[in-house]
Amino acid sequence: MSAKIHIGTQGWNYDGWVGPFYPEGTRPADFLTVYARAFETVEVDSTFYASPVSKTVRGWAQRTPDDFVFSLKMPQEITHERRLRNADELAAEFFDRARELEGKLGPDFAPAELPAVAQFLPKLPRDLRFAIEFRQRGWIHDGVLALLAEHNVALAISEGRWIPRKQMMQLASRPTADFGYVRLMGLDQSIVDYSRVQIDRTRDLEAWAHVLWPYAEQGREAFVYVNNHFSGHSPAAARDLQRLLRQPAVEPEQLGEQMSLF
């Protein structure tokens, strides 16, 4: 029932995960390969700071299984600096780089001003999927939701400090695209040790599992990404959510056993 719910984390390149998640001795160059044995998708934050070179993107694709999915953040030069204005060439370059992932590309997301969004959405290529995250309550109204629905762009549902969770969960039941996108961000930005769970988020994960069940029951896709600040160690929270949605969860010790086979 839950095969359409893709669960992963925001990023994979954390030294603090070696031991509690990655087997001891795992090299940074092998992080992504090992990560992909436990999760089937990842949100890539580094593309927000600069559009990746083709060689890098192809390397990501080569180190992951055929059914693995990447969600790339649109570069900040397009979304934050240019505010989606006069950014057609930069966007086209980014879309070309993203296509290097071929079938492994999931949604992308980016916030911006409404007039610019209204002009930019029709320019989005139809062979890629997009989601957009708003971090102010003023964005969330019927006009914006209708605009996103017109272009099959998902509203990124975010568990964070910007919009109350209750409102976010209600919006999850009003899809604007044929897939859902959820970001479990967390509130405690003071967390700097990503090697262990420091906040018990069991009830929160149960609540989100309840929200996600309808997606699974309806056979719709949803992508869920957990940030380290959600509980302190995002792989553990992602595994807990997998179990709540009755998906198989790969434990760290199992990753170690797989490493020993190579």
Side-chain angles (χ1 to χ4, degrees), residues 135-155:
R135 296 189 174 184
Q136 296 181 21
R137 299 187 198 185
W139 282 102
I140 311 301
H141 56 79
D142 290 343
V144 169
L145 297 181
L147 177 64
L148 297 182
E150 179 183 351
H151 298 285
N152 194 41
V153 173
L155 173 66

Side-chain angles (χ1 to χ4, degrees), residues 33-222:
T33 300
V34 178
Y35 173 95
R37 295 171 187 156
F39 302 111
E40 61 183 15
T41 187
V42 70
E43 185 181 271
V44 184
D45 184 67
S46 61
T47 55
F48 177 70
Y49 302 100
S51 186
V53 298
S54 296
K55 181 179 179 181
T56 296
V57 179
R58 287 195 297 270
W60 294 342
Q62 292 166 0
R63 298 202 298 275
T64 53
D66 291 341
D67 58 353
F68 193 85
V69 177
F70 292 87
S71 289
L72 308 183
K73 296 184 72 172
M74 194 174 290
Q76 63 180 343
E77 184 176 358
I78 298 172
T79 60
H80 288 57
E81 296 172 14
R82 301 201 181 195
R83 301 286 181 178
L84 300 184
R85 297 179 176 88
N86 302 315
D88 291 1
E89 292 186 9
L90 287 174
E93 179 185 38
F94 175 70
F95 298 149
D96 285 341
R97 301 286 170 79
R99 289 188 180 98
E100 296 278 1
L101 294 170
E102 298 180 344
K104 296 184 178 184
L105 181 65
D108 179 39
F109 68 97
E113 301 169 0
L114 183 55
V117 170
Q119 293 179 6
F120 191 75
L121 293 187
K123 301 176 183 178
L124 295 176
R126 298 301 178 182
D127 62 322
L128 305 178
R129 289 182 292 184
F130 296 85
I132 186 166
E133 180 186 38
F134 298 116
R135 296 189 174 184
Q136 296 181 21
R137 299 187 198 185
W139 282 102
I140 311 301
H141 56 79
D142 290 343
V144 169
L145 297 181
L147 177 64
L148 297 182
E150 179 183 351
H151 298 285
N152 194 41
V153 173
L155 173 66
I157 306 299
S158 183
E159 161 85 33
R161 62 185 181 277
W162 307 284
I163 301 173
R165 181 204 297 165
K166 183 178 181 180
Q167 184 179 7
M168 286 285 93
M169 288 185 168
Q170 290 172 343
L171 289 168
S173 65
R174 300 180 60 187
T176 60
D178 55 8
F179 64 94
Y181 199 100
V182 177
R183 308 182 75 227
L184 303 183
M185 300 293 293
L187 299 172
D188 193 347
Q189 297 297 311
S190 66
I191 295 175
V192 294
D193 176 7
Y194 303 147
S195 67
R196 58 188 176 84
V197 171
Q198 295 155 65
I199 304 173
D200 184 357
R201 302 299 296 266
T202 301
R203 292 187 178 180
D204 300 322
L205 289 172
E206 290 172 347
W208 281 108
H210 181 74
V211 169
L212 290 165
W213 267 116
Y215 283 85
E217 292 173 336
Q218 297 163 15
R220 297 172 55 230
E221 274 192 308

Side-chain angles (χ1 to χ4, degrees), residues 27-33 63:
R27 300 178 306 158
D30 296 325
F31 282 175
L32 179 57
T33 300
R63 298 202 298 275

